Amino acid sequence: NALVPYVFNMGMHTALWKKLRVRPDGPARPGIVTDDRYCLVNGPTNQYVYTPAWVKKIVREVGTVEKFQAFFGYPPSDRPSKWQKGSTREKTAS
């Protein structure tokens, strides 16, 4: 999430893996086929685990405003700043 300079949430992540066919829809289970460059099934927990290469691919696919808009069809939202005026941190730091 820190490598994409705007709001990036689980719904966006899901849209990416679906469109790029990284894994099948539905729960993980033994023997399921994924694109193992980007996603694996953890045998003991039957959970999908994403690789560092997947993170790099996300940044390549939607890491700029133009690419984000082309992929999702709408512009990205700016992340809220940790230090926005009126934030709790600012009030306690004064």
Side-chain angles (χ1 to χ4, degrees):
N1 204 4
L3 297 177
V4 177
Y6 29 78
V7 172
F8 185 79
N9 60 37
M10 186 59 72
M12 294 167 184
H13 180 257
T14 300
L16 276 159
W17 65 251
K18 283 183 174 184
K19 185 171 183 178
L20 300 175
R21 298 181 175 180
V22 170
R23 53 161 266 214
D25 214 357
R29 59 189 181 283
I32 204 160
V33 177
T34 64
D35 183 337
D36 62 6
R37 295 172 297 171
Y38 306 122
C39 179
L40 306 166
V41 175
N42 179 314
T45 64
N46 282 332
Q47 301 257 335
Y48 291 110
V49 179
Y50 296 92
T51 67
W54 175 240
V55 175
K56 290 176 184 174
K57 182 149 182 77
I58 289 171
V59 173
R60 282 193 311 271
E61 294 290 330
V62 298
T64 67
V65 171
E66 297 79 14
K67 288 180 177 182
F68 184 101
Q69 185 151 0
F71 189 93
F72 292 109
Y74 56 88
S77 299
D78 290 334
R79 284 189 192 177
S81 170
K82 289 182 186 179
W83 310 112
Q84 285 178 332
K85 188 172 180 138
S87 71
T88 305
R89 177 81 172 173
E90 183 179 288
K91 290 175 186 172
T92 57
S94 304

